[in-house]
Amino acid sequence: MMVSIVQRLVLSVTLLFCLTSVLCNAPTDIKLDEKAKRIHRIDCLNILVYVLLLILTVCTIWLFKRRRARFLHETGLAIIYGLVVGAIIRYGGEDTEVVFVAVKPISHNNTPVDIPPDNLFYTMEVKGNPVKGDLDYLNKTYAYVFRGEVTDVESKKLDQKATFDPEIFFNIILPPIIFNAGYSLKRRHFFRNLGAIMTYAFIGTTISCFVVGIVIYAFIQLMPHLQFSFTDCLYFGAIISATDPVTVLALLSDLHVDVNLYALVFGESILNDAVAIVLSGSINSYEELYGTQSGGFEVQACFKSVGNFIYIFICSFLIGSVTGCCTALLTKFTRLNDFPLLESSLFLLMSYSTFLISEAADLSGIVAVLFCGICQAHYTYNNLSDESRIRTKQLFELLSFVAESFIFTYIGVSMFTFTKHLWDVGFIIVAFLAIAVGRAVHVYPLSFLLNLGRHNKISLNFQHMLFFSGLRGAMAFALAFRNTLSEPRQLILTTTSMIAIVTVFFCGGITTQLLTWLGIPVGVEEEHEMLQLSGAQAVYNTMDSQATPQVSTPNELRSPPPVPENRTPYEKAWLVRKWHNFDVMFMKPLLTHSQPTLMETLPGCCLPFSKLLTTEKQLSQEGIMHNDDDSDSDLEIIESNFTTFRGRGLSSQNSVTKPFCIEDANATVSDPQSPEKNTSVQGDIGIGSGLNLRTHTRIKIPGFEGEPV
Amino acid sequence: MMVSIVQRLVLSVTLLFCLTSVLCNAPTDIKLDEKAKRIHRIDCLNILVYVLLLILTVCTIWLFKRRRARFLHETGLAIIYGLVVGAIIRYGGEDTEVVFVAVKPISHNNTPVDIPPDNLFYTMEVKGNPVKGDLDYLNKTYAYVFRGEVTDVESKKLDQKATFDPEIFFNIILPPIIFNAGYSLKRRHFFRNLGAIMTYAFIGTTISCFVVGIVIYAFIQLMPHLQFSFTDCLYFGAIISATDPVTVLALLSDLHVDVNLYALVFGESILNDAVAIVLSGSINSYEELYGTQSGGFEVQACFKSVGNFIYIFICSFLIGSVTGCCTALLTKFTRLNDFPLLESSLFLLMSYSTFLISEAADLSGIVAVLFCGICQAHYTYNNLSDESRIRTKQLFELLSFVAESFIFTYIGVSMFTFTKHLWDVGFIIVAFLAIAVGRAVHVYPLSFLLNLGRHNKISLNFQHMLFFSGLRGAMAFALAFRNTLSEPRQLILTTTSMIAIVTVFFCGGITTQLLTWLGIPVGVEEEHEMLQLSGAQAVYNTMDSQATPQVSTPNELRSPPPVPENRTPYEKAWLVRKWHNFDVMFMKPLLTHSQPTLMETLPGCCLPFSKLLTTEKQLSQEGIMHNDDDSDSDLEIIESNFTTFRGRGLSSQNSVTKPFCIEDANATVSDPQSPEKNTSVQGDIGIGSGLNLRTHTRIKIPGFEGEPV
């Protein structure tokens, strides 16, 4: 929307500028001015339509939440409103006439033009007897910029009705959503299931992509009227294989489903977005470089694409992490947190610069921004002032919510207003079949393989749920919307829109029912999760059985939990453990005010260096923020880490039992005597998990303080 | 920046779309793809330049704040960085070559084209022997949109270097700044000085506009090489008469200058922005309709312009207020505040929709958004949940800060990158003289007239300060930037940029010194202001003398203040009092949860109606939020209001003494036993007054709770 509108705004306004004041001869000017104003008005109305739609959606979401209506989810709601308004705009609105002139070139400049030029320069000529006002336009040269191909040459009409440039999705709408996903990630559960998540996201998405491509290609042979090359099929597979974090997050987080299931579904969907973007980019560039009309496939080129894929992913990851760490360093070594506004601005700007740097370097901005978000949450967040913590979380939550709602509204509207839809019922049916097969081939075998190495098995019911939660949404739509010039791509867009709408409605509506059928506990409160921490083994034993959620009273929780040494490990991720050790020993002391400091963890020879990197605050604070307080640590890992740590003969008194010291000052959040304090903490904690803040306020262990939940 | 970048992005991306996948013939595709990617990279780099500049500015601002450097203000800093980078871009960067084709029309469509058309349609023709890849472009029609006039016809170059469309200022950058100004307005001081502020803003700005116009026009006669019509001079007067709220806010708020002076300066600058926008629009449309090359001036047309001015101002005001009230009603009658995220989103969307509605209706979006901000703060804010209060204030504060910094950076950069600057030292000197004369003619006579009716006189020193604080900044620049097609307008832009830069540096650097010379108290803390409340007469008596600020210790403040009945009124603004009565009796009970309810204030016959409009919360809460607690009430007015109120025999026990009950639960903010609570309130209150939160935490009277200060 925005770009088309901005473009028209630019157009209208430049026209206005060009003409209002330079020329003062009444008739032409007034006509022009009127026209420019009319276009400006239409632009504003265009945006207004979406803003009003969003207002309507917000109000209805509230009604639904209040009535606890589960049959239709808010994302579905946004789509419905979008569809209705799209239909009204399509069939109700009048066409605005666009003045155009067909032109031919006078002369080329030096370079031979074998592609459509960026600019046309047009010198006004007035036919017949020029009236006085017209003279001003003579011998003036105007610049015109490339807009796109005119497909409908007869009507010579450009599609400008409530559609907007797909790049806006990637450059303005998606970054805050993805950043917020990274920033509000429940990292403890994420890292605990990292192996499984990465397997699903990387290997699973690739499998799904190829399976979908092959299934589609097989069926395409039966539909000779469709001109689909094999790379087209693969491209469709890449686009459609990304499950949508937005929808999944909204659905499962509202239901308070089992945290591990949530982590698996959400983690996969967030990472496979990045995978899908890079994958589709690779297929595109493969097609460009080696593709032939016959759709052949060369092994060497394929390997090159894989290499390209890995290169882009790793570099983007590095850029994101490095920018995150730079922000952490900046906030650690300047006392910027005396000025929360400056601090928040810096945070915002640094995060957005990640995206820009990586796009400017031809890498994936989305991947970079995701990992930047994770880094910011893991390191920078600890250095921020209380006000900035609240502010940044609330800011990104808000931006992300509005952006999400906008995307779903837009999916609805564009079903009608976008004129290049190409309908083929056969293809859509085949596509549904293909994604089901692709999802099944990806979930079940991978889960089987994963279960071979996992202590806490992924139960069959969880696998069914994983299969089922493969909703397609905003990301698939955005990718499909990116390119709609050829017929196959138009068909892909239509199919993707349909799949997004159907999965959101169908899967969204049936999720609650399905969770009951599969016996997966819903309404699992954060307290329950807290209990798991102290008695992890017990809870994980019951995970496969159909246990009802054990919602405990706050008093129960206040009882001193058992010492962690008694627990048995539930997962041994070697890489994760190694990373965690490195993180606690070097990264955290370097990037945050946490203890132990670098002076303790680095070898003696580095002392001058490490002294330089240790702040006074870090030295002076005792027990304010120990590494082990950080709740994204795995308890098992903490244990092993501090065993190592003790082995080096360094002071770590009080550190192991610390995370369980619930009677800490910070833990008395729900103290009825301080309602205001309670509120402020509510604002502090409940952000990451959607809209329902209620469930997080009952108890707070110290570890929670160090991260945005 | 953004639009030019967005436009080029669109250009590049459409090119990319157009070509990457449709055609699979190697050489041309790769070339095109490379080119598209290059353009995309450049776009990202363009934005990145500004983002990095802002990061640098934020970091340096911190340094300056920490070192308490007063000689150079942060806005000056942003400009300096902008200038440096602008120079680097201008002289250091390489030119990116733009492929262009000069064209002539083949055929017109039905309507005769007497103005530059919106679109050109260009059908590719390949000269010579087309290579295989070229064939794909043959017989394809491409659309081109109007961009602007090419001034530098020889080099045929478009200015695309780090410049952006001025409409972005008006549609994206300015709205959050102005909204935030309204939302965080210290309404008590604002309303107390409303008469003076309105006089300065409306009459003063108009006087200044005409005086500047006449002075310039007089001098223009001595400079025959300049082609400046009288309307051009007036237009310049209108543009340059708006003092800048951004710079003034930043400077005076940091210094904690006397609150009444602050209210006068800030109030004037915020309203005269709106006045300047409407005024320059009126002059523009006057010029369009009646202007002749000789610059004649017709009385009838002039009156029509004045009528137009009033119409636009009042309608915009109404749209802003009505949207604000609608938001208040929505938040009052839905229980949306159970879901702070939805609530904040609604708030944001409603506020932005005000701007769009007003622009779509051909009115002034800036005026609408300003009054919408004031309404939101006055009514809606009271209905919001605590979380939303913090969130909305912090959000708009952040947006406003980033937008402000961006504008000043951009003023610096554009001095070099904008190629249409037209330098005329004589004109610039005359302009400086003219604005000084215009400001003097506006401040001193009006102050004299105002003092005739005011109890608390505006002292001569205050008048000097008012004269001096006529900084020109973002708004003047934005207005001048809007139209740069003719030579007079280019000269206006250059002069305005220079004036903005010089006033920011000169006035900004000298303000502290000047305040000392004039004996105006700085470092006046909010406590001092609180004292004034309880002993208003005493303080206002000393206002004309050069009293040093009486910074009191918190203990002094805790002593029970005198009963309000003892005080004498210090201002009798009849309109303000009438409005306040109406506000307390009808508007607040209708729009917020305040008491007395409509059931009490409306006549008995309206009972069913008023019952409908009264919420349960409103009835059930006792003393939670009385109208008289609202701190934007004038104490004198409260008194008179409740005299009326009592006269009607309604219950108002406890209401008069309530605002002075400092030992209220809400007042113990700085209680050392609750540091966390303290922090949360700090975040709550200190927003409006720039970055310095420290000063507001010592004491808080209950009335403060109901508004964002």
Side-chain angles (χ1 to χ4, degrees):
Chain A
M1 174 197 68
M2 266 192 61
V3 157
S4 108
I5 281 157
V6 161
Q7 265 208 334
R8 291 172 65 190
L9 226 152
V10 170
L11 157 70
S12 64
V13 160
T14 356
L15 259 178
L16 182 69
F17 293 167
C18 173
L19 301 155
T20 43
S21 57
V22 184
L23 316 158
C24 302
N25 309 66
T28 323
D29 285 352
I30 293 171
K31 206 160 60 188
L32 265 173
D33 193 39
E34 279 299 304
K35 181 180 148 195
K37 272 188 184 162
R38 190 171 51 82
I39 295 175
H40 178 69
R41 261 203 302 276
I42 291 167
D43 289 333
C44 284
L45 281 174
N46 249 349
I47 310 182
L48 196 59
V49 165
Y50 284 100
V51 171
L52 293 180
L53 262 177
L54 288 180
I55 291 174
L56 201 64
T57 311
V58 166
C59 291
T60 332
I61 288 176
W62 165 74
L63 267 182
F64 271 57
K65 280 204 178 289
R66 199 167 148 239
R67 298 269 157 85
R68 306 196 168 277
R70 285 267 178 257
F71 61 96
L72 178 60
H73 195 261
E74 52 215 58
T75 47
L77 208 71
I79 292 180
I80 290 180
Y81 282 133
L83 284 172
V84 171
V85 171
I88 293 172
I89 294 177
R90 171 73 176 275
Y91 301 111
E94 29 146 7
D95 279 344
T96 52
E97 204 195 329
V98 177
V99 181
F100 76 92
V101 170
V103 289
K104 63 181 180 189
I106 299 171
S107 66
H108 294 266
N109 62 351
N110 309 337
T111 49
V113 179
D114 51 2
I115 52 173
D118 302 342
N119 292 294
L120 297 184
F121 287 139
Y122 174 68
T123 308
M124 275 295 283
E125 282 177 53
V126 178
K127 304 254 166 124
N129 295 322
V131 288
K132 186 171 166 282
D134 292 337
L135 288 171
D136 296 298
Y137 299 98
L138 285 173
N139 298 323
K140 291 218 181 218
T141 306
Y142 298 96
Y144 287 77
V145 275
F146 185 81
R147 173 67 193 272
E149 195 189 335
V150 182
T151 42
D152 191 1
V153 188
E154 289 75 41
S155 74
K156 301 255 182 198
K157 222 162 59 184
L158 280 168
D159 304 316
Q160 291 188 328
K161 256 187 181 175
T163 56
F164 76 106
D165 195 278
E167 281 308 284
I168 285 295
F169 267 130
F170 285 91
N171 293 329
I172 293 174
I173 310 280
L174 276 183
I177 299 180
I178 303 292
F179 181 85
N180 190 51
Y183 194 48
S184 64
L185 198 67
K186 291 190 179 179
R187 282 166 294 124
R188 185 168 18 141
H189 310 300
F190 181 78
F191 284 116
R192 195 186 280 168
N193 294 292
L194 193 64
I197 290 171
M198 302 255 283
T199 312
Y200 287 132
F202 288 89
I203 304 176
T205 307
T206 315
I207 291 176
S208 171
C209 162
F210 281 90
V211 169
V212 170
I214 290 165
V215 170
I216 297 264
Y217 193 66
F219 277 97
I220 283 293
Q221 310 307 320
L222 306 175
M223 292 185 272
H225 62 286
L226 291 177
Q227 290 194 322
F228 244 65
S229 71
F230 184 61
T231 39
D232 282 334
C233 292
L234 271 189
Y235 187 72
F236 179 68
I239 283 178
I240 210 71
S241 292
T243 57
D244 186 48
V246 177
T247 333
V248 172
L249 177 70
L251 275 173
L252 295 187
S253 131
D254 268 15
L255 290 171
H256 293 277
V257 84
D258 180 282
V259 281
N260 284 285
L261 177 61
Y262 180 81
L264 284 178
V265 171
F266 181 60
E268 186 208 339
S269 67
I270 202 102
L271 277 184
N272 73 9
D273 271 4
V275 174
I277 286 180
V278 183
L279 209 57
S280 59
S282 298
I283 290 171
N284 233 356
S285 66
Y286 169 84
E287 196 178 16
E288 279 159 31
L289 294 174
Y290 308 97
T292 55
Q293 302 292 14
S294 63
F297 211 81
E298 288 167 41
V299 178
Q300 196 195 350
C302 188
F303 272 109
K304 217 165 178 174
S305 281
V306 172
N308 190 31
F309 173 85
I310 293 169
Y311 162 78
I312 289 179
F313 206 93
I314 289 178
C315 287
S316 307
F317 165 76
L318 283 179
I319 287 178
S321 321
V322 168
T323 328
C325 294
C326 283
T327 319
L329 284 175
L330 264 176
T331 46
K332 183 186 174 186
F333 290 104
T334 64
R335 290 193 54 80
L336 210 60
N337 57 9
D338 294 341
F339 305 98
L341 180 59
L342 294 181
E343 199 181 38
S344 317
S345 308
L346 188 77
F347 188 93
L348 178 72
L349 293 168
M350 288 294 282
S351 304
Y352 191 50
S353 76
T354 305
F355 178 82
L356 294 171
I357 291 170
S358 103
E359 286 288 314
D362 250 350
L363 301 167
S364 164
I366 295 292
V367 176
V369 105
L370 169 67
F371 287 103
C372 178
I374 295 176
C375 278
Q376 302 280 38
H378 196 65
Y379 302 118
T380 314
Y381 187 80
N382 296 310
N383 302 337
L384 296 181
S385 62
D386 289 344
E387 203 192 319
S388 290
R389 289 182 186 190
I390 299 174
R391 195 199 297 252
T392 50
K393 273 184 297 168
Q394 293 189 336
L395 172 74
F396 284 108
E397 193 198 11
L398 184 69
L399 290 181
S400 166
F401 173 75
V402 173
E404 272 168 37
S405 306
F406 171 74
I407 290 185
F408 284 101
T409 310
Y410 189 71
I411 291 179
V413 172
S414 75
M415 279 307 278
F416 286 98
T417 57
F418 190 72
T419 50
K420 287 184 196 159
H421 277 300
L422 198 68
W423 292 88
D424 189 297
V425 181
F427 186 81
I428 293 174
I429 293 169
V430 169
F432 270 104
L433 184 71
I435 61 165
V437 172
R439 185 91 190 144
V441 170
H442 138 203
V443 169
Y444 296 106
L446 286 181
S447 302
F448 175 75
L449 290 175
L450 282 168
N451 276 342
L452 294 180
R454 275 174 78 99
H455 281 259
N456 56 329
K457 309 288 184 203
I458 300 162
S459 73
L460 205 61
N461 283 336
F462 273 34
Q463 293 177 28
H464 293 325
M465 197 58 218
L466 270 172
F467 168 74
F468 189 76
S469 58
L471 307 181
R472 267 64 168 185
M475 181 58 75
F477 177 77
L479 283 170
F481 201 67
R482 212 168 187 175
N483 179 348
T484 54
L485 275 172
S486 66
E487 284 197 358
R489 296 299 155 104
Q490 289 167 15
L491 186 58
I492 285 177
L493 174 67
T494 311
T495 312
T496 309
S497 299
M498 278 309 295
I499 290 175
I501 292 176
V502 170
T503 53
V504 166
F505 279 116
F506 177 70
C507 301
I510 214 174
T511 302
T512 325
Q513 195 54 45
L514 194 77
L515 285 169
T516 320
W517 285 340
L518 294 176
I520 293 168
V522 293
V524 179
E525 309 279 336
E526 195 65 21
E527 294 93 315
H528 181 53
E529 171 55 19
M530 292 300 110
L531 268 188
Q532 288 185 348
L533 271 178
S534 43
Q537 186 57 43
V539 175
Y540 276 91
N541 284 343
T542 64
M543 210 169 96
D544 283 7
S545 71
Q546 303 178 8
T548 48
Q550 311 165 5
V551 182
S552 325
T553 63
N555 281 342
E556 276 182 70
L557 288 162
R558 291 262 167 72
S559 64
V563 206
E565 268 79 2
N566 297 343
R567 294 171 313 98
T568 55
Y570 59 84
E571 181 148 14
K572 286 174 185 164
W574 178 83
L575 189 71
V576 172
R577 192 191 304 175
K578 281 287 162 207
W579 158 251
H580 184 84
N581 281 353
F582 178 72
D583 188 40
V584 171
M585 304 284 269
F586 303 105
M587 297 299 282
K588 288 221 154 186
L590 174 65
L591 298 173
T592 71
H593 294 297
S594 73
Q595 284 182 333
T597 65
L598 279 182
M599 290 160 73
E600 295 167 83
T601 56
L602 282 183
C605 57
C606 307
L607 198 64
F609 182 66
S610 57
K611 218 169 201 167
L612 203 72
L613 295 172
T614 305
T615 56
E616 280 178 31
K617 191 178 168 192
Q618 216 168 344
L619 288 173
S620 66
Q621 67 186 0
E622 270 302 322
I624 291 178
M625 201 191 67
H626 275 277
N627 271 324
D628 44 344
D629 282 3
D630 196 336
S631 67
D632 67 344
S633 325
D634 236 334
L635 290 176
E636 201 271 315
I637 294 167
I638 288 173
E639 197 182 346
S640 77
N641 166 52
F642 277 90
T643 316
T644 329
F645 203 58
R646 278 209 198 90
R648 302 179 85 206
L650 294 163
S651 66
S652 71
Q653 72 284 10
N654 189 22
S655 56
V656 175
T657 47
K658 201 84 208 297
F660 303 95
C661 172
I662 295 184
E663 291 301 335
D664 187 282
N666 289 319
T668 57
V669 173
S670 56
D671 190 346
Q673 278 128 41
S674 59
E676 189 159 333
K677 190 177 168 190
N678 193 347
T679 312
S680 97
V681 176
Q682 198 173 30
D684 198 330
I685 292 197
I687 305 301
S689 51
L691 301 165
N692 202 328
L693 297 164
R694 184 175 28 79
T695 57
H696 299 288
T697 50
R698 290 201 210 152
I699 186 158
K700 185 185 174 214
I701 66 160
F704 261 81
E705 190 156 66
E707 66 157 1
V709 181
Chain B
M1 173 197 68
M2 266 191 59
V3 158
S4 107
I5 280 156
V6 161
Q7 265 208 332
R8 293 172 64 190
L9 225 151
V10 171
L11 156 72
S12 64
V13 160
T14 358
L15 260 176
L16 182 68
F17 293 167
C18 172
L19 301 153
T20 44
S21 57
V22 185
L23 317 157
C24 301
N25 310 65
T28 323
D29 284 352
I30 294 171
K31 207 160 58 188
L32 266 173
D33 192 40
E34 279 300 303
K35 182 181 149 195
K37 273 187 184 164
R38 190 171 51 82
I39 295 175
H40 178 70
R41 259 203 303 275
I42 291 167
D43 289 332
C44 285
L45 281 173
N46 249 348
I47 310 180
L48 195 59
V49 165
Y50 284 99
V51 171
L52 293 180
L53 262 177
L54 289 179
I55 291 173
L56 201 64
T57 311
V58 166
C59 291
T60 333
I61 288 175
W62 166 73
L63 267 182
F64 271 57
K65 283 206 178 282
R66 200 168 145 237
R67 298 268 158 85
R68 307 195 166 276
R70 285 267 179 257
F71 61 94
L72 179 60
H73 195 262
E74 52 215 59
T75 48
L77 207 73
I79 292 181
I80 291 180
Y81 282 133
L83 285 172
V84 171
V85 171
I88 294 172
I89 293 176
R90 172 74 175 274
Y91 301 111
E94 29 145 7
D95 279 344
T96 51
E97 204 195 330
V98 176
V99 181
F100 77 91
V101 169
V103 289
K104 62 182 180 189
I106 299 171
S107 66
H108 295 265
N109 60 351
N110 308 337
T111 48
V113 179
D114 50 3
I115 52 173
D118 302 344
N119 292 293
L120 298 184
F121 287 140
Y122 174 69
T123 308
M124 276 293 284
E125 284 178 51
V126 179
K127 305 251 165 130
N129 296 322
V131 286
K132 186 170 167 283
D134 292 335
L135 289 171
D136 297 296
Y137 300 99
L138 285 172
N139 299 323
K140 291 219 182 219
T141 307
Y142 298 96
Y144 286 77
V145 276
F146 185 81
R147 172 67 192 272
E149 195 191 334
V150 182
T151 43
D152 191 2
V153 187
E154 289 76 42
S155 75
K156 301 256 183 195
K157 223 163 57 185
L158 279 169
D159 305 316
Q160 292 190 328
K161 255 186 181 177
T163 56
F164 76 106
D165 196 279
E167 281 309 285
I168 285 295
F169 268 130
F170 286 90
N171 292 330
I172 293 174
I173 310 281
L174 276 183
I177 298 180
I178 303 293
F179 181 85
N180 189 50
Y183 193 49
S184 64
L185 198 67
K186 291 188 180 182
R187 282 166 294 124
R188 185 169 18 147
H189 310 300
F190 181 78
F191 284 115
R192 195 185 282 168
N193 295 291
L194 193 64
I197 290 171
M198 302 256 282
T199 312
Y200 286 131
F202 288 90
I203 305 177
T205 307
T206 315
I207 291 176
S208 171
C209 162
F210 280 90
V211 170
V212 170
I214 290 165
V215 170
I216 297 262
Y217 193 65
F219 276 97
I220 284 292
Q221 310 306 318
L222 306 174
M223 293 186 273
H225 63 285
L226 290 177
Q227 290 194 322
F228 245 63
S229 71
F230 185 59
T231 38
D232 281 334
C233 292
L234 272 188
Y235 187 72
F236 179 67
I239 282 178
I240 209 72
S241 291
T243 58
D244 187 47
V246 177
T247 333
V248 173
L249 177 71
L251 275 173
L252 295 187
S253 133
D254 268 15
L255 290 171
H256 294 276
V257 84
D258 180 282
V259 281
N260 284 285
L261 177 62
Y262 181 81
L264 284 178
V265 172
F266 182 60
E268 185 208 341
S269 67
I270 200 99
L271 277 185
N272 73 8
D273 272 5
V275 174
I277 286 181
V278 183
L279 209 57
S280 59
S282 297
I283 291 172
N284 234 356
S285 66
Y286 169 85
E287 197 180 16
E288 279 159 31
L289 293 176
Y290 307 98
T292 55
Q293 302 292 12
S294 63
F297 211 78
E298 288 166 41
V299 179
Q300 196 197 347
C302 189
F303 272 109
K304 216 165 179 175
S305 280
V306 171
N308 190 31
F309 171 86
I310 294 169
Y311 162 77
I312 289 179
F313 205 93
I314 289 179
C315 287
S316 308
F317 166 76
L318 282 180
I319 287 179
S321 320
V322 167
T323 326
C325 293
C326 284
T327 319
L329 283 175
L330 264 177
T331 46
K332 182 186 174 188
F333 289 105
T334 63
R335 289 192 56 80
L336 209 61
N337 58 8
D338 294 342
F339 304 98
L341 180 59
L342 293 181
E343 202 181 36
S344 316
S345 308
L346 187 77
F347 189 93
L348 178 73
L349 292 168
M350 288 295 281
S351 304
Y352 192 50
S353 76
T354 305
F355 179 83
L356 293 171
I357 291 170
S358 205
E359 286 288 314
D362 249 350
L363 302 167
S364 164
I366 295 292
V367 176
V369 102
L370 169 66
F371 287 102
C372 177
I374 294 177
C375 277
Q376 302 279 38
H378 197 64
Y379 302 117
T380 315
Y381 187 80
N382 297 310
N383 303 336
L384 296 181
S385 62
D386 289 345
E387 203 192 319
S388 289
R389 290 182 184 189
I390 299 175
R391 196 200 295 251
T392 51
K393 274 184 297 166
Q394 294 190 336
L395 172 72
F396 284 109
E397 193 198 12
L398 184 68
L399 290 181
S400 169
F401 173 75
V402 174
E404 271 168 39
S405 306
F406 172 74
I407 290 185
F408 284 101
T409 311
Y410 189 71
I411 291 179
V413 172
S414 75
M415 280 306 279
F416 286 97
T417 56
F418 189 72
T419 50
K420 285 183 198 160
H421 278 299
L422 198 66
W423 291 88
D424 189 298
V425 180
F427 186 82
I428 292 174
I429 293 169
V430 168
F432 269 104
L433 185 72
I435 62 165
V437 172
R439 185 90 191 145
V441 169
H442 138 201
V443 170
Y444 295 106
L446 286 181
S447 302
F448 175 75
L449 290 175
L450 281 168
N451 276 342
L452 294 179
R454 274 173 79 98
H455 281 259
N456 56 328
K457 308 288 185 204
I458 299 164
S459 73
L460 204 61
N461 282 336
F462 273 34
Q463 293 177 29
H464 294 324
M465 198 58 218
L466 270 173
F467 169 75
F468 189 77
S469 57
L471 307 182
R472 268 64 169 184
M475 181 58 76
F477 177 77
L479 282 170
F481 202 67
R482 216 170 183 172
N483 178 350
T484 53
L485 275 173
S486 67
E487 284 198 359
R489 297 298 156 102
Q490 288 166 16
L491 186 57
I492 285 176
L493 174 67
T494 310
T495 312
T496 309
S497 299
M498 277 309 295
I499 290 174
I501 292 175
V502 169
T503 53
V504 165
F505 279 115
F506 178 70
C507 301
I510 215 174
T511 301
T512 325
Q513 194 55 44
L514 194 78
L515 286 168
T516 320
W517 285 341
L518 295 175
I520 293 168
V522 292
V524 180
E525 307 281 336
E526 196 65 20
E527 292 93 315
H528 181 52
E529 170 55 18
M530 293 299 109
L531 267 188
Q532 286 184 350
L533 271 179
S534 43
Q537 185 58 41
V539 174
Y540 275 92
N541 284 344
T542 63
M543 213 170 93
D544 282 9
S545 70
Q546 302 180 5
T548 48
Q550 310 165 4
V551 181
S552 326
T553 61
N555 281 343
E556 277 182 72
L557 288 163
R558 292 263 166 74
S559 65
V563 208
E565 268 78 0
N566 297 341
R567 293 170 312 102
T568 55
Y570 58 84
E571 181 149 14
K572 284 175 186 163
W574 178 84
L575 189 71
V576 173
R577 195 190 305 176
K578 281 286 164 212
W579 158 249
H580 184 82
N581 281 354
F582 178 72
D583 187 40
V584 171
M585 304 285 268
F586 303 104
M587 297 299 281
K588 287 221 156 188
L590 174 65
L591 298 173
T592 69
H593 294 296
S594 73
Q595 285 182 334
T597 64
L598 279 183
M599 291 162 71
E600 295 166 84
T601 56
L602 282 184
C605 57
C606 307
L607 197 64
F609 181 66
S610 56
K611 216 168 203 167
L612 202 73
L613 294 172
T614 305
T615 55
E616 279 178 33
K617 192 178 167 190
Q618 216 167 345
L619 289 172
S620 65
Q621 66 187 1
E622 271 301 324
I624 290 180
M625 201 190 66
H626 277 277
N627 271 324
D628 45 345
D629 282 4
D630 197 336
S631 66
D632 65 344
S633 325
D634 236 335
L635 290 177
E636 202 271 316
I637 293 166
I638 289 173
E639 199 179 344
S640 76
N641 166 52
F642 276 90
T643 316
T644 329
F645 203 58
R646 278 206 199 91
R648 304 182 83 206
L650 293 165
S651 65
S652 72
Q653 71 284 7
N654 188 24
S655 56
V656 176
T657 46
K658 198 87 210 294
F660 302 97
C661 172
I662 296 186
E663 291 301 335
D664 188 278
N666 290 319
T668 56
V669 173
S670 57
D671 190 343
Q673 277 128 41
S674 60
E676 189 159 332
K677 191 177 168 191
N678 192 349
T679 311
S680 97
V681 176
Q682 198 172 30
D684 198 330
I685 293 198
I687 304 300
S689 51
L691 300 165
N692 201 328
L693 297 164
R694 183 176 28 78
T695 59
H696 298 287
T697 50
R698 289 200 211 155
I699 188 160
K700 188 186 173 213
I701 66 162
F704 261 81
E705 188 157 65
E707 64 156 2
V709 181

